[in-house]
Amino acid sequence: MRAYEFEQHIPASHSVFLPLPEDVAGNAKIIVLFPDAGETTQSLSSRFANLAEFTAWLETLPPTERTVEEIDQQIREERNSWGD
């Protein structure tokens, strides 16, 4: 499976045009992701110069109240929801 990612502005007409590679034809799943209100679209790679900066930032966050088992269960549920 191959994936293609495009960033586009959504105009007032609410329609988009996605140019795809010439070798792509047939059925496809289309997924559209857009940020929640107030969410930044800045990528992690542009926020942090390296993994050490990211790790330092991550360590400033408060710990979660969930157990490892609860987190693993949520991951299993999410994976099971993906279907085939």
Side-chain angles (χ1 to χ4, degrees), residues 63-78:
T64 179
E65 299 295 323
R66 299 185 303 160
T67 66
V68 170
E69 291 78 17
E70 290 170 327
I71 294 170
D72 287 343
Q73 178 62 32
Q74 181 182 358
I75 293 170
R76 278 192 299 278
E77 290 171 1
E78 181 66 27

Side-chain angles (χ1 to χ4, degrees), residues 5-40:
E5 180 178 329
F6 300 88
E7 289 190 25
Q8 277 195 332
H9 172 77
I10 308 299
S13 67
H14 305 285
S15 60
V16 296
F17 171 73
L18 298 176
L20 297 173
E22 291 184 20
D23 66 332
V24 175
N27 295 333
K29 289 183 181 182
I30 309 277
I31 299 171
V32 177
L33 302 173
F34 50 93
D36 293 331
E39 182 180 331
T40 179

